[in-house]
Amino acid sequence: MAKSRSSFVCQSCGAVTTRWAGKCESCNEWNCITEEVAEAATPKGLGAGAGASKKGRTLALVDLKGEDANKLPRRVTGIAEYDRVTGGGMVPGSAILIGGDPGIGKSTLLLQAVCALSARGSRCLYVSGEEAVDQVRLRASRLGLDGANVELASATNVRDIVATMEDTSASGVDLIVIDSIQTMYIDTIDSAPGTVTQVRTSAQELIRVAKRRGVIILFVGHVTKDGQIAGPRVLEHMVDAVLYFEGDRSHQFRILRAVKNRFGPTDEIGVFEMANEGLVEVENPSALFLAQRQQDVAGSAVLAGLEGTRPVLVEVQALVAPTALGTARRAVIGWDTSRLAMVLAVLEARCGVQLSSSDIYLNIAGGIRMTEPAADLAVAAALVSSWTGVPVPADMVLFGEIGLGGEVRQVAQPDVRLKEAAKLGFGQACIPKRKKTPASDAAAKTAPAIRVNELAQVQDIVDLFSEMKREMGGGIKYAQG
């Protein structure tokens, strides 16, 4: 009889060690190694042995081009923002992982999605491992969804869930929600729910059954303090789509972002607003993000960003203030701190803007997080505006990537960004200098009615503020030195 053996597994990266340690040497995380017991088994190959006469079955080979290769059927919920992120609807047999901070609204969003899908004739199951059935009913009643034809269950044993999916009475199930995968366990594994082995094996068994039966399966995943899906990244590799539900609890906006999608574009976002009746989709997020923008205030610039295929206009706020400490402070909300350091270094080294001894505060208003490099130019404009005390023109938008040489580089789909800015009433834009090609000439003829200032160097934006300062006839509100 094989003896059981113990191994110590890091719950953050999945590294396996022979003994416990306070710090994982692979990911440098503390207090993340737990003991897991597994049955010892001798590795067996496919060569000679007791099962040498056993042969595998021959696989059925098919052509690359099938009859419905370009017509994948999708389950559409009718919630436009959710369907946009999933690529136009959910494909039968797909596995989707949704992560987010506790209390951000993951269960609320999924409950609204399955109720909307059931109203379109789909049979949906909602399996909760964290809440009782009555708790889910209370949430549905609060959202006004208690009349939806959704079947509920409270379970954590994967064996019971698989048996329910394999049951003939459940043969017509189209979608199943597992809330959450960290609470599920397999009784043949001697480790606690939420450990690396349990999460990986439970997800593998559920995905295997779902793909064989053509059922859409939605996993809710816990996140760490850094905002990443808890457990090893192998869980994200196993599923077809990974969605992150982002947002600040102090704001009513919630962002559903696709970071992986095998059936649609990545980096697509859906914008929701948290209200008394649940999550309400926002059809025009640009107007919402700019609703409380104050004009004629130094340090405020409008970025024409692009999230997936959707153009989004957001306000970039910067404040340059004298420091009272020996080391200047850098506080950033909604943007990358290291990228801010790069923009500050370029402004100081290439343009002579002395900001190294000043406190810098940067904020992307509205609670959204921007990740694309096209925000560099808007951030630089907001910093120079706050440094000189000259406001950015109220009808101006900016976008462009800044290189270490001080050059302004081109970004993707400038015409889509300009069209969104013109739709919201902006009259001028600062963009990277475009190359003259037949395609660009044809696009210029159909471009929206907005005055474009093409910049080749970041020094051009500094010169623009210097010219506006001379026209104002005033001095610099706050200068260094």
Side-chain angles (χ1 to χ4, degrees):
M1 182 177 179
K3 296 182 180 180
S4 60
R5 58 184 178 87
S6 296
S7 60
F8 297 87
V9 183
C10 174
Q11 304 303 309
S12 179
C13 66
V16 181
T17 59
T18 57
R19 61 180 180 177
W20 184 88
K23 179 182 178 182
C24 177
E25 298 296 336
S26 298
C27 62
N28 295 325
E29 290 289 334
W30 288 89
N31 299 325
C32 58
I33 298 178
T34 59
E35 182 181 5
E36 297 185 11
V37 180
E39 293 295 332
T42 305
K44 296 181 176 63
L46 297 179
S53 60
K54 245 183 179 180
K55 292 184 179 180
R57 61 182 179 87
T58 304
L59 299 177
L61 305 178
V62 297
D63 295 332
L64 180 63
K65 183 178 180 180
E67 296 180 358
D68 298 329
N70 298 322
K71 298 179 181 179
L72 291 174
R74 294 178 181 264
R75 298 285 180 179
V76 180
T77 63
I79 304 176
E81 295 298 309
Y82 180 83
D83 294 333
R84 173 197 294 272
V85 177
T86 56
M90 295 175 287
V91 178
S94 61
I96 302 174
L97 175 64
I98 299 180
D101 294 335
I104 202 69
K106 302 183 296 296
S107 300
T108 300
L109 175 64
L110 290 183
L111 187 59
Q112 291 182 233
V114 296
C115 290
L117 197 61
S118 65
R120 293 172 171 255
S122 299
R123 186 181 178 187
C124 303
L125 302 182
Y126 193 103
V127 179
S128 177
E130 300 178 346
E131 298 176 301
V133 172
D134 291 336
Q135 290 178 291
V136 181
R137 287 173 176 168
L138 284 175
R139 180 186 295 114
S141 177
R142 188 175 66 251
L143 300 176
L145 303 173
D146 48 349
N149 187 21
V150 176
E151 301 172 68
L152 305 176
S154 178
T156 57
N157 194 330
V158 174
R159 187 184 301 275
D160 298 338
I161 300 175
V162 170
T164 304
M165 297 173 66
E166 297 280 9
D167 190 17
T168 55
S169 62
S171 58
V173 172
D174 300 308
L175 182 143
I176 182 171
V177 175
I178 305 296
D179 186 7
S180 65
I181 187 58
Q182 272 81 11
T183 61
M184 301 295 147
Y185 74 94
I186 294 181
D187 50 17
T188 57
I189 299 177
D190 190 10
S191 59
T195 57
V196 172
T197 305
Q198 286 284 9
V199 170
R200 180 174 57 237
T201 311
S202 299
Q204 183 180 8
E205 290 296 326
L206 292 170
I207 292 174
R208 178 181 59 84
V209 178
K211 287 188 176 295
R212 187 176 71 249
R213 304 187 69 89
V215 178
I216 303 170
I217 186 165
L218 294 171
F219 295 113
V220 176
H222 295 172
V223 297
T224 62
K225 61 182 180 180
D226 298 328
Q228 301 295 325
I229 299 290
R233 300 301 293 268
V234 66
L235 182 60
E236 301 184 33
H237 291 295
M238 292 168 61
V239 298
D240 299 307
V242 179
L243 312 180
Y244 277 91
F245 209 36
E246 306 172 352
D248 191 349
R249 292 188 181 182
S250 59
H251 294 82
Q252 69 271 30
F253 308 124
R254 300 290 187 268
I255 309 297
L256 183 65
R257 187 186 304 273
V259 297
K260 172 189 177 182
N261 195 349
R262 290 173 178 164
F263 306 107
T266 57
D267 290 332
E268 193 71 72
I269 67 167
V271 184
F272 297 87
E273 182 179 3
M274 182 64 75
N276 294 331
E277 60 273 16
L279 291 165
V280 181
E281 54 183 328
V282 178
E283 297 180 357
N284 191 352
S286 298
L288 190 62
F289 290 141
L290 299 177
Q292 300 181 3
R293 177 185 174 228
Q294 296 183 3
Q295 300 181 2
D296 298 330
V297 176
S300 174
V302 178
L303 163 67
L306 193 68
E307 293 290 337
T309 60
R310 161 181 282 180
V312 179
L313 269 63
V314 296
E315 181 185 4
V316 179
Q317 299 176 336
L319 179 61
V320 179
T323 182
L325 304 174
T327 303
R329 184 179 181 184
R330 303 289 185 263
V332 184
I333 299 177
W335 207 48
D336 188 10
T337 306
S338 59
R339 197 149 192 95
L340 172 63
M342 186 205 72
V343 174
L344 291 173
V346 172
L347 287 175
E348 186 164 354
R350 306 295 182 184
C351 306
V353 180
Q354 300 297 325
L355 298 174
S356 58
S357 59
S358 302
D359 289 340
I360 304 294
Y361 301 89
L362 185 70
N363 177 41
I364 307 296
I368 188 173
R369 178 173 180 82
M370 303 300 296
T371 57
E372 64 166 346
D376 293 350
L377 190 60
V379 170
L383 290 170
V384 176
S385 173
S386 179
W387 183 67
T388 60
V390 179
V392 179
D395 63 338
M396 175 182 287
V397 297
L398 305 98
F399 59 88
E401 180 184 358
I402 295 178
L404 293 179
E407 73 278 9
V408 180
R409 296 175 173 268
Q410 296 184 10
V411 295
Q413 302 186 29
D415 298 328
V416 176
R417 304 171 192 259
L418 294 175
K419 183 178 179 180
E420 179 72 11
K423 185 174 67 175
L424 293 180
F426 288 86
Q428 56 180 323
C430 289
I431 68 172
K433 189 175 183 61
R434 293 177 288 191
K435 295 181 179 180
K436 298 297 182 181
T437 60
S440 64
D441 295 338
K445 296 179 180 179
T446 59
I450 184 171
R451 185 164 60 89
V452 175
N453 301 318
E454 297 186 1
L455 308 179
Q457 298 289 326
V458 70
Q459 179 66 43
D460 297 338
I461 197 70
V462 179
D463 296 340
L464 178 63
F465 279 96
S466 300
E467 182 180 353
M468 289 189 295
K469 183 186 65 176
R470 287 193 296 267
E471 294 176 356
M472 293 171 59
I476 299 177
K477 182 181 69 171
Y478 171 67
Q480 301 298 323

